[in-house]
Amino acid sequence: HGGFGGAPKNPEPELIRFMIARGGKARDVAIAAARALVAGAVHDKSDGGFYRRAIDEAWKEPFYQKTLLDQARIALALMDAADAANDGALRTAANGALEFALKNLQRNDGTFVEALDGTGDSGADSAHKPEFVRVGQASTGTLGLLVVALKRAGGDWYDKMAGEVDRHIRANLGEDARLPHIDGLPAEATAWDYAAVALACRSLGDDAMAGVFLERANKLY
């Protein structure tokens, strides 16, 4: 069925990217996995977003939750696969995931929610989508990875969106080595938060600021 493992079946975007980088047979398997992910029910064709995983091995039944982090992770993997296979459909799917995130997971004030969750709708008909609610507050690390994915997508509109998300991150960075995290409350930043923001800074060409956040990440190692 494409992809890796049995039920429940996860997209494994980092594994796809790693195998593409290795080349050869690994690259071919990764491209097949990317195409299976896009073709299956984990990819919501109606809005472009991706669900967290499939309940079954054949990619036919999604787990009804879409996270901001997964949209960025999957978009990056699909862009790698699109370049490796010269496959425009994979790039279109990657862009669709980012556009879904900006349209459906961003609040009017520019902040982002963690996910759209439909798993709490116990009375939903299994043949139809449940009602989705916005839950949580996206971590700073997630926003950093979103910036990386938007910059990788390229083009004036994606660059503009990357800059807007980056400004939102920097406006909320504290001087006490704390970052806005869950539910908008200051929380001790993890190495993941700092490393993701460093990647975002580097993708925007700000190597000096990237070094600041890498140093903070290293202090937590």
Side-chain angles (χ1 to χ4, degrees):
H1 303 294
F4 309 96
K9 199 159 189 173
N10 293 297
E12 304 289 5
E14 287 76 27
L15 181 54
I16 290 174
R17 299 184 74 191
F18 172 76
M19 293 179 71
I20 288 172
R22 285 185 64 85
K25 178 63 174 177
R27 170 185 171 277
D28 295 340
V29 170
I31 291 170
R35 286 172 171 158
L37 175 61
V38 170
V42 168
H43 183 204
D44 189 339
K45 313 301 189 297
S46 64
D47 62 22
F50 285 83
Y51 294 104
R52 289 190 69 179
R53 59 180 177 268
I55 295 173
D56 63 309
E57 185 176 350
W59 301 109
K60 291 183 178 179
E61 186 176 357
F63 178 76
Y64 285 114
Q65 191 177 78
K66 300 175 184 175
T67 73
L68 180 63
L69 180 58
D70 284 333
Q71 308 314 310
R73 295 170 63 224
I74 290 171
L76 285 167
L78 294 180
M79 283 186 269
D80 280 3
D83 288 346
N86 193 25
D87 188 332
L90 291 176
R91 180 165 293 279
T92 297
N95 292 347
L98 296 176
E99 290 163 15
F100 163 81
L102 294 171
K103 179 179 179 181
N104 295 280
L105 299 175
Q106 188 173 25
R107 300 188 183 97
N108 291 335
D109 63 359
T111 62
F112 285 83
V113 298
E114 180 182 7
L116 283 184
D117 185 27
T119 62
D121 191 353
S122 59
D125 183 342
S126 61
H128 300 86
K129 288 184 186 179
E131 292 294 324
F132 287 88
V133 295
R134 290 179 166 187
V135 296
Q137 177 81 12
S139 73
T140 305
T142 295
L143 296 180
L145 198 62
L146 177 61
V147 170
V148 174
L150 288 166
K151 283 298 295 182
R152 174 70 191 282
D156 292 343
W157 186 80
Y158 292 105
D159 284 346
K160 176 177 179 290
M161 293 300 105
E164 289 184 4
V165 176
D166 177 66
R167 282 192 291 274
H168 174 70
I169 295 172
R170 298 194 193 206
N172 288 282
L173 292 176
E175 296 300 324
D176 57 352
R178 289 172 177 264
L179 298 173
H181 203 71
I182 303 301
D183 295 328
L185 299 175
E188 289 295 340
T190 66
W192 142 252
D193 285 308
Y194 288 135
V197 174
L199 281 173
C201 292
R202 183 168 289 172
S203 72
L204 293 168
D206 191 342
D207 290 339
M209 188 61 72
V212 169
F213 287 108
L214 282 177
E215 183 177 352
R216 289 185 178 185
N218 286 333
K219 288 179 179 178
L220 297 178
Y221 178 67

